[in-house]
Amino acid sequence: LPDDNDESSRADALPAWSFESLGAAEGWLEAPGGARYRVLRAGEGDAAAGVLDPVSSYQPFPFVEVTFAAYTPDGRCFAGTRQDRRATRAYQVGIRQQLEDEPGAVIDMVVGERRQFAVPFDVVMENISGGKLFGEPAPEADALLVDVTLVALRPY
């Protein structure tokens, strides 16, 4: 899968991929909940706002803004800020307990970070929110891959 740090490299489609193919040799790490992720660009935080830690460090439930694109294993982009014609997607972390709140996803990111995370279908369906990703219903697929950048974090 492409790992270009240029955000404009997000495409309407990717080459076909499988959850099993996302291994350590390509930089993928296993998260406690069963997701896999890799950091494409490290974040440095928002020094001007004094927000330098990962999202999970801020309680209760901070607000975040992200850009993202989500793909099925056949490479089709089924959701994203580009498809929605939105600059960013803003939401409150942890409230709806959707897939982006899984370990290894947005909850563990720092402002400015870009990462990809993949979630197998069983984790998608076990999700408390009923298999939703950024408010969108997840399609029935073996796994989902999300390319996301944390643009902003507002702790309170």
Side-chain angles (χ1 to χ4, degrees):
L1 294 173
D3 62 1
D4 191 328
N5 283 331
D6 178 10
E7 305 236 0
S8 64
S9 67
R10 288 189 184 137
D12 292 332
L14 292 176
W17 59 277
S18 70
F19 190 76
E20 295 76 30
S21 70
L22 308 177
E26 294 81 27
W28 291 89
L29 303 169
E30 187 91 22
R36 293 183 185 163
Y37 69 95
R38 67 178 176 172
V39 175
L40 300 180
R41 182 183 64 232
E44 296 183 13
D46 182 349
V51 177
L52 304 172
D53 296 314
V55 174
S56 60
S57 299
Y58 298 94
Q59 298 295 328
F61 309 121
F63 290 89
V64 297
E65 285 184 54
V66 300
T67 60
F68 78 98
Y71 303 90
T72 55
D74 63 2
R76 180 180 61 87
C77 183
F78 69 89
T81 46
R82 189 167 153 190
Q83 283 71 15
D84 293 346
R85 294 180 177 16
R86 297 170 74 166
T88 61
R89 172 78 56 98
Y91 69 99
Q92 190 172 12
V93 173
I95 296 296
R96 292 183 292 233
Q97 298 181 344
Q98 296 181 0
L99 294 172
E100 61 271 17
D101 297 329
E102 289 286 322
V106 176
I107 195 85
D108 294 328
M109 294 175 69
V110 173
V111 173
E113 182 176 324
R114 180 179 176 199
R115 73 170 52 188
Q116 291 175 331
F117 68 92
V119 185
F121 186 68
D122 59 332
V123 173
V124 171
M125 295 321 296
E126 289 171 3
N127 187 263
I128 292 170
S129 190
K132 288 192 175 180
L133 178 70
F134 297 107
E136 302 290 328
E140 193 166 319
D142 293 339
L144 303 175
L145 184 138
V146 181
D147 187 330
V148 62
T149 299
L150 181 58
V151 177
L153 166 63
R154 300 292 167 244
Y156 309 109

